[in-house]
Amino acid sequence: MTDPMSNGHDDRVAPDGRVDGLLVQQAALRELAVAVAEMRAPEVIYELVAKEAAGVASVDSASVIRFRVDGVGEVVGAWRMGDKHVGSLVQLDGETGAAIVSRSGRVAHLNGADADVQTGRKPGPTASALGGMAVPIRVRRELWGCLRVRASVEQAIPVDLEERLGIFADLVGLAITNTDTSARLLSQATSDPLTGLLNHRAFQDRIEGEVGRAIRYGRPLSLVLLDLDHFKSINDAYGHPAGDAVLIQASRLLEVGARAGDVLGRIGGDEFALLLPETDQSDALAIADRWAQQFRAGPVGVADHLTMSAGVCDLTHANGSRELLRLTDAALYWAKSQGRDNVVAYSPETVHEVSDGERTSRMQRMQAMMAIRSLAGVIDAKEYPNEEHSERVAEMVRRMAESAGWSAGRSAELAEASMIHDVGKVCIPERILRKPGALTPAEYELVKPHASLGAEIASDALDEEQALWIEQHHERFDGTGYPNGLSGEQITEGACLLALADSWDVMTTERSYSPAKPEGEALVECMSLAGSQFSPDACKALERLLS
């Protein structure tokens, strides 16, 4: 079994000019992919896309044009557009590239001036004399606008420009989708659609009112914030429908424990909050402890063993709703940092308050992970259409890690990293991703940077060790892998497990160009490669798991 991205024995080399162009594209996509993963503002993405697209196409100018409902196009991102700047309008009723794309949804190739357009015309065998190109941008499969590049009369555009710009257009669509999703979540009504509990915004409104009332009349009031421990591992192992079922059952358990007058809400993915009027901190702590016991007592959905961490605080420590939330969140953070499955009541002597910077950093990491997962999903779909490669790898590596003696929490962290282990492939052209045969040496050189890029992108959402697992998952035990040619114990154990799980999925999943191998045959092949391609310890963990 060779590395899925190895060069095999094919010695054909692509033209130097093409390789150089693709290397430029990789550098451009690196910056853009990081920007999308960080969920930067759409206008920042638009300008960056225009700039990088112009550089990749080696042309004068580029623009991102949004098709408005009133039948005109609006330039929302521009790079060296001359008289066309952000906010300029483009008519869509003529024969310009943008107009053709808006009517047909297809790529428009431009001959010199923008008005001279031929749709569907392919460039010549080397470099084209075409003056530019307009590529459709789609958001949730709906035509949203186009990415247009234009060259001066004497410039020629690369022959594979359509493929290159298509990747940029996909990233624009993904950035818009991420932004729209965040806005939609913020504008939802009071009820969480999954659990029926109050959502984040509605709970914030209630806590301000209840805290104001308690302070006004001198009455006790407590707040409990709780997280389900290692909930991501449930989604990774069983899929999001099963994870949703766990959240629904968890919310029912919490409702049973709540009293009349208590305010219960789901304020995050796996985070819940309970506001308890007329309740001091000691009574609130007892309620949270009973909840923790209920979670430990039996299965919750597909989770045979589910625990929770909680923080508790009352108004004796806080002067208002914001401070109450901040101190309760500090207690929750302290409970999780002490090993999870823990309930902590706030006190200034035992709980170090979480700073605004730490809280912001946590939220940014959560948002970054969502964006990177979306980006990784786009790449997965291009390389493995209609499959869930990363999900299967994450589940397999979690089981292998536990077979190797890792704790459930640490195994879940490895699975979390595995969900986005291929995100760096954003820099690889689709024709190489989908190529059924061996790669040429030149193509292999284009592939090698993706592991380091993946780690760079993932560093916004994962810790340093998790990012290192991604960076090293194409290293080989004998030192012939990439990106750094590490060998033996130089490679982290997590990367060794991920490398084997990744290859295992390639071997045992049917592809359009390759039948799936039976598990027994695949295991024999993996064991034969122990000490060369794979870590012997990782192979032993796989063997124990399958025995």
Side-chain angles (χ1 to χ4, degrees), residues 38 48 68 147 175 187 195 243 280 334 338 346 378 397 402 452 455 483 493-494 525 531 536:
E38 291 176 348
L48 185 58
R68 301 193 330 190
L147 170 60
S187 64
T195 64
D280 62 22
W334 196 248
Q338 299 304 303
Y346 176 81
V378 170
V397 82
E402 291 182 350
S452 296
E493 185 181 6
E525 184 170 347

Side-chain angles (χ1 to χ4, degrees), residues 528-544:
S528 72
L529 294 170
S532 56
Q533 181 171 343
F534 303 122
S535 156
D537 289 340
C539 290
K540 290 176 183 177
L542 176 63
E543 187 176 34
R544 283 194 299 269

Side-chain angles (χ1 to χ4, degrees), residues 152-176:
S152 62
V153 176
E154 66 274 9
Q155 288 178 315
I157 64 173
V159 295
D160 60 345
L161 183 59
E162 181 177 334
E163 178 184 359
R164 299 190 193 186
L165 294 184
I167 300 175
F168 283 94
D170 287 344
L171 289 173
V172 175
L174 180 60
I176 297 166

Side-chain angles (χ1 to χ4, degrees), residues 322-391:
R322 289 189 179 184
E323 189 174 13
L324 181 63
L325 279 164
R326 186 175 72 250
L327 298 181
T328 310
D329 187 54
L332 170 60
Y333 182 81
W334 196 248
K336 293 167 69 174
S337 69
Q338 299 304 303
R340 296 183 169 85
D341 190 14
N342 199 6
V343 178
V344 172
Y346 176 81
S347 73
E349 294 77 25
T350 59
V351 174
H352 300 298
E353 186 177 343
V354 180
S355 69
D356 289 339
E358 287 177 292
R359 188 179 297 103
T360 300
S361 176
R362 286 171 54 198
M363 182 60 68
Q364 288 174 340
R365 284 170 65 89
M366 289 176 59
Q367 292 176 333
M369 188 62 183
M370 291 174 59
I372 294 169
R373 285 282 293 270
S374 297
L375 181 58
V378 170
I379 305 307
D380 240 16
K382 287 189 175 184
E383 186 173 10
Y384 307 104
N386 304 317
E387 297 179 10
E388 295 182 335
H389 169 69
S390 292
E391 286 82 353

